[in-house]
Amino acid sequence: MIQHDTARHAADSSAADRSTAVILNIGKSMNRHHSRLPLATTVWIVATLTPWMAAQSSSLKPIVIRAEKAWLEPGKSLERARFTIRGDAISEVDQFEKGSKAGSDVISGAVLTAGFIDLHNQLGPTNELAEKVESFTPELRADQAYDPFDARWKRVLAQGITSLIYAPSNTSIAGGQAILLRPGLKPEKDAPATYVKFSLTREAQSTYKRPTSLVGAVDYLRESYRNLRSRTPRNLGAAELILATTVGGNSSVGIACNRPEEIQAALELSKEQNLDSFLILGDATGQFDPRILDDVLPTLAKEGKRLLLPALGSKSSQRAQALPAQLAKQGIPFAFSAASDRNNGINKCQWTMAMAMRSGLSADKALAALTTTPASWAKISDKAGSLYKDRQADLCLWSGEPWDLRSRLLLVVRAGKIVCDARPEKDTPMKDSPTGESHR
Amino acid sequence: MNPLRKPILPDASAKSLPMIHPHKLALGLALGLTLGLGASLGAQDRLLLKGAKVFTGKGPFQEGLQILVVDGKIQKVGKDLSAENSTVVDVSGKWITPGLVDANTSLGLATTHTNEQSNETTPHIPILDAIDPRAANFKRALGMGVTSAYVSPGGMNVFGGLGVVLKTAGPQLSERIILDKTGLRMTLGAMASSGNRSFRGGNPDSMFYRRPTSRMGVIWEIRSQFYKADAKRASGQGFDPEKDPATRTLIAALDGKLTVRTTARTDQDIRTALRLAEEFGIRIAIDEGTEAYNSLDQIAAAGVPVIASPPSVSQHPDRAERHLDTIKLLADAGVVVAIQTGQGLGALPLIREASFAVRYGLPRERALEAVTSVPAEILGVSDRVGSLKEGLDADIVVWDLNPLSVFSRPESVYVGGKLLHDGKAKKTKKVTSPRRGTPRKTRL
C-alpha cells in the first residue's frame, strides 16, 4: 500500500513495495556559513552545487498510496487508484493494474478520501481566543493564539481533519478573524482571514461590559456599521478596516447563534448590512437543538443562507440526526464541524456521516459536508477537499467506506507526510487479506 | 428494462385509453374546473360561525349573530348570513369574543426584564431581536384566548427601548408582527436605578456605577435626555437621524408620533408621569398604575390611558399598595383602562384578570373591553385586531361558557381565520408513577 521507494515504477512489483526508505531532507543538514567568501568562489560553489541539488530534488522520494477505491470528490470515485505524492502535493493520479496482487500491499476494501476540513475549530485554551475587556475586536487574528505543539492536534488528525479554520471563541460579539491552519503545522505568515467571527450567543453577553443582552449585542454591531459609514476611509481604525471588508460580502462572516431569537437576529443583521454570512450552530460543547430552525427553514432556503452544523454524537436527538437530510432536501447548503476535540475514542467525523446517512442523507452529501463544501466556503477548493493532481497531499485511508462505522481510519497524510498510522501491521503485507479473513 | 429506469407514467402502449370526443372532453373539463375550483376555494377560505352569543368588542353579548370569515379576514358580522360555499361551524350554546389583546407582556423573552444594561438610555433598541417565536408561553397565552400581545423591553433602564405588537401564533415571526417599534418604554420609580450601584465593595469604575441611583435621578435622566433631543431638533445642527437613532426615537416621542409607555406604580410616580407629559407635550400611557386610585381625577383630566397591572398579583415593585377595585375606580372616573398580565414569563391567563376586576366591581362589558378593543386602541392596532368588525383579522375565540366565568376555557382559537388552538381535542394523559418519568407497572 505505502511505498517510500525511489523508483515509482516499482510500485506495481510487490516485492519492492515492502521495502522502506527514508524521505531525504536536503536542507536539514545544511549549515550556515557566516564567513564572507570572495565572489568568484561563491559563483564556483553555486555553479557546482546547483546541478547536484537539482538532481537531488528530482529524485525526492515519492510516497505512493494505492487503494481499491478513492473518492476523488463526493460522487466521483476511481477504482484501483494510485496516488503519487511528491513534496506536499499530489503529483500523479492513475490506476494500477488489475492483475497486481492485492494482498501484497493493498488492504482489501481500503478506500481513500480527501482530508476533512473543519470550518470552526476552537481547540486550545478558550481564554486565549477572546479579548475579555472588549467585546468588539474584529482586528484580532485567531492564529496568534494557535499552538502548533499542542498534543491534542494529534487527536484532531486522527479523525481525518487535515485543514481547519481556527476561530475566535463565542464570548465576543466580534471576536476576530478566523484563519486557515493545518493542525500541528506552523501557520503561514500573514495568511488571509477565512471569515470574521460574530457571536450572538449568550456567551457573548457579559455582566461587566457591553453588551449585556441580545438586543444590546445586535445594537452594538449595528452601531459599529453605522459608525463605519460615517467615517472617511482615511480615518478608519484597525477594527473598522476589518469590518469594512464584510460589507457587501467582500469577506465572509460566520455568526454563532444557538437560540431561535439569535438566529432571527443573525438573519436580520445579515440582510440589513448585506453580509455574506453563514450561521454557526451549536454551543462550545456542540450541543444544539434542531427545533430552533423550524421557523426559519423557509427563510434560509429562500435566501440561500449557509449553515455550519456541529458534529452529531451518540446523544444527538432523532431530530438532530434528521436535520442534514432535511436541509439537503430543501436545498440549504450545510457543512459539518467537529467542534471539539472531546472525541472519547470515537471518530466524530465518521460518526456524524453515519448518523446523518441513517436518517436519509446521501453518502455524497455527507462526504461533501466534510470535504468539498467547507473547502469552497473557505475558498480553498483548488487546494483541498478533493483528490486531483496538484492538490495538497491531504489524504485519509479507511479500511472501508468512511461512513461505515465498521471502518477504521488507517492512515492520515497531511501535507505529504504521514501523521497518523493505525495500520494493523505497518509497512508489511497484510497477512489476512489473501486468505479472505477480515482485517477489521 | 432496468427497473430503476422504469417510467413513472404508465406506458401508453400497454393499455389504450377509451375514445373520448374532444368537444365532450373540453366541456367536461370546463364544468369540472368551475365546480371543483369553486367548491375547493369555498371550503378552504370561507368560514361561517353561527349559533353562539357574540361579544363584538363593545357592548353586551348578542344572540343570533353570525360571523363570516373570508381569506383570514372578517367579511361580515350579522344575522342570517349566507352559508354558500362556506364551511359552517355550528357553535350553538357557546360564547364568542374577539381574540384577547394583552397590552404588556414578556412573551418570548428569555428574562423578565430584557434590557441592554451597559447604558441607561437605550430608547432605540427594538425588543423584536430578542423574541423567541417558539417560546412555550406564546402557546400558553394562545391556549387562554390571547391572540395578540405587546412585548415590552425591560424596566431596568430609564429608557428601555421599543416594543412590538405581534400575534401569539402563526407561521413565521415576520408574518406575526402587527406593529413593530411601537411604544417607547420609560420607567419611573426605583426599578430603573436599582442596578446602578457598586455592590459589596465592587469596583467603582464598573459601568454599572452610574447615575441615576434614586427616584429623583431617574426623572433628571429623563428630562436631560428629552431636553438634549429637543435642542437637537430645534437647532437641526450636528444631528443626523440616520447616525443617531436614540435621539431620533426621542424626537419621535416629542413630536407625538410615538406613545411613551410610562411605567409608574406609586402615586408620586403617576403624578410625575402626568407632569412630564404636560411639560414635554408627549403622548403617554401609564403602565401598571398600581396606586392610580389616589389620582383618579388627575388621570381622567389628562386623558391618559392606564394599562392596569393584573389584579390577582398581590406583590408589586416599588412597594406600591394594591387595591383590588382600582380598575373599577378608574373606569368609573372615565379613564380609558386596559388590563395587562405584566412582565412575568409564566403568561398569566388574561381573562382571569378580567374576572378578578368584575369580582371587584367592574361591569362585565367594561372588563371584556379592557382585554380586547381598548388595549387594541391604546396600542394603535384597532384597525387589525381587538374587535369583531368587517375588515379586521379573524382572530376569534369560542368559549364553552361565559368567558368571565372561572370555569370557562377556550374551545377554539382562530388566528387569521385558522384554527390554531383546539381545546376540544382530547389530550392523552400519560400514565406515570409517582416517580418522575417511569411508567406505572400494570398489576395483573
Side-chain angles (χ1 to χ4, degrees), chain A residues 172-215:
Chain A
S172 293
I173 55 163
Q177 302 156 57
I179 311 288
L180 173 72
L181 297 169
R182 320 296 299 278
L185 284 183
K186 286 179 185 172
E188 283 178 34
K189 201 182 174 189
D190 299 329
T194 305
Y195 58 87
V196 180
K197 169 87 180 278
F198 287 179
S199 170
L200 295 177
T201 59
R202 281 193 175 180
E203 295 159 287
Q205 296 158 22
S206 169
T207 53
Y208 62 89
K209 68 174 193 290
R210 187 185 179 197
T212 62
S213 59
L214 175 60
V215 283

Side-chain angles (χ1 to χ4, degrees), chain A residues 115-437:
Chain A
F116 296 151
I117 301 165
D118 186 356
L119 269 174
H120 186 241
N121 189 294
Q122 296 180 326
L123 192 143
T126 315
N127 57 357
E128 295 292 350
L129 278 168
E131 187 54 50
K132 282 169 279 304
V133 173
E134 172 62 50
S135 193
F136 183 79
T137 54
E139 72 277 16
L140 302 183
R141 289 170 60 93
D143 58 346
Q144 312 285 2
Y146 165 71
D147 173 14
F149 301 104
D150 193 325
R152 286 176 291 183
W153 293 122
K154 282 184 184 172
R155 277 191 240 166
V156 171
L157 287 163
Q159 295 187 50
I161 296 169
T162 53
S163 299
L164 55 87
I165 317 298
Y166 204 46
S169 75
N170 290 358
T171 52
S172 293
I173 55 163
Q177 302 156 57
I179 311 288
L180 173 72
L181 297 169
R182 320 296 299 278
L185 284 183
K186 286 179 185 172
E188 283 178 34
K189 201 182 174 189
D190 299 329
T194 305
Y195 58 87
V196 180
K197 169 87 180 278
F198 287 179
S199 170
L200 295 177
T201 59
R202 281 193 175 180
E203 295 159 287
Q205 296 158 22
S206 169
T207 53
Y208 62 89
K209 68 174 193 290
R210 187 185 179 197
T212 62
S213 59
L214 175 60
V215 283
V218 178
D219 183 57
Y220 202 160
L221 291 170
R222 278 192 185 128
E223 188 187 305
S224 305
Y225 278 109
R226 267 201 308 274
N227 291 341
L228 182 70
R229 292 201 182 89
S230 68
R231 293 193 186 182
T232 54
R234 280 188 181 183
N235 295 336
L236 294 183
E240 281 128 357
L241 278 170
I242 299 300
L243 197 65
T245 63
T246 63
V247 179
N250 289 332
S251 67
S252 295
V253 178
I255 309 179
C257 39
N258 205 28
R259 302 167 68 81
E261 59 269 31
E262 290 160 11
I263 291 173
Q264 294 276 4
L267 292 174
E268 194 63 31
L269 190 75
S270 302
K271 205 171 169 184
E272 269 174 26
Q273 309 298 341
N274 191 18
L275 306 178
D276 173 27
S277 63
F278 61 90
L279 307 184
I280 302 168
L281 301 172
D283 61 10
T285 56
Q287 295 299 314
F288 164 62
D289 183 357
R291 284 176 297 180
I292 64 175
L293 288 172
D294 283 357
D295 285 344
V296 292
L297 277 181
T299 315
L300 292 172
K302 196 172 146 194
E303 296 182 4
K305 276 277 169 269
R306 300 167 288 163
L307 295 180
L308 184 60
L309 305 176
L312 295 170
S314 54
K315 288 180 184 171
S316 297
S317 64
Q318 292 283 336
R319 280 296 305 276
Q321 292 176 34
L323 182 69
Q326 195 184 353
L327 295 175
K329 200 174 171 187
Q330 298 199 17
I332 300 170
F334 67 94
F336 291 123
S337 164
S340 76
D341 66 318
R342 295 173 198 158
N343 54 12
N344 303 327
I346 293 168
N347 187 330
K348 270 199 168 182
C349 299
Q350 185 188 32
W351 191 272
T352 302
M353 281 193 288
M355 291 189 108
M357 285 174 63
R358 185 177 157 228
S359 300
L361 188 71
S362 69
D364 297 344
K365 293 263 169 62
L367 189 58
L370 282 162
T371 53
T372 47
T373 307
S376 72
W377 293 11
K379 300 184 179 69
I380 50 168
S381 294
D382 55 338
K383 292 180 191 165
S386 52
L387 298 177
Y388 290 111
K389 196 186 168 192
D390 297 334
R391 296 278 201 278
Q392 281 173 358
D394 295 340
L395 306 101
C396 298
L397 187 77
W398 303 80
S399 63
E401 292 290 5
W403 47 80
D404 186 347
L405 285 178
R406 293 168 299 178
S407 308
R408 287 197 303 123
L409 184 54
L410 300 176
L411 196 81
V412 180
V413 178
R414 178 209 57 198
K417 300 265 171 66
I418 295 170
V419 286
C420 178
D421 193 348
R423 282 172 293 163
E425 289 180 42
K426 290 170 194 172
D427 290 334
T428 54
M430 295 297 301
K431 286 175 187 169
D432 51 0
S433 293
T435 58
E437 289 173 19

Side-chain angles (χ1 to χ4, degrees), chain A residues 205-206 211-217, chain B residues 109-123 125-127 130 152-162 185-187 191-192 194 207-208 210 343:
Chain A
Q205 296 158 22
S206 169
T212 62
S213 59
L214 175 60
V215 283
Chain B
L109 299 179
T111 52
T112 316
H113 286 280
T114 301
N115 280 116
E116 174 49 33
Q117 293 190 50
S118 59
N119 197 331
E120 198 54 58
T121 51
T122 54
I125 290 186
I127 196 63
S152 171
M156 299 299 284
N157 283 358
V158 174
F159 286 108
L162 296 165
R185 175 84 191 249
M186 182 169 90
T187 309
M191 182 183 269
S194 60
M207 67 178 185
F208 293 111
R210 64 176 184 229
Q343 295 210 293

Side-chain angles (χ1 to χ4, degrees), chain A residues 58-125:
Chain A
S58 66
S59 64
L60 258 180
K61 309 298 179 287
I63 298 178
V64 176
I65 299 182
R66 304 195 307 172
E68 283 199 356
K69 184 162 83 172
W71 288 104
L72 301 178
E73 64 178 80
K76 194 173 177 186
S77 63
L78 182 70
E79 302 292 327
R80 305 187 314 283
R82 179 172 59 193
F83 288 82
T84 309
I85 297 165
R86 287 175 201 274
D88 62 353
I90 300 169
S91 66
E92 207 170 320
V93 181
D94 58 1
Q95 286 180 295
F96 61 85
E97 285 174 22
K98 202 172 184 179
S100 73
K101 209 175 174 185
S104 60
D105 67 327
V106 178
I107 299 171
S108 69
V111 175
L112 203 59
T113 64
F116 296 151
I117 301 165
D118 186 356
L119 269 174
H120 186 241
N121 189 294
Q122 296 180 326
L123 192 143

Side-chain angles (χ1 to χ4, degrees), chain B residues 378-390:
Chain B
I378 294 172
L379 294 169
V381 292
S382 55
D383 57 338
R384 288 279 307 271
V385 296
S387 306
L388 298 178
K389 279 194 243 171
E390 289 175 23

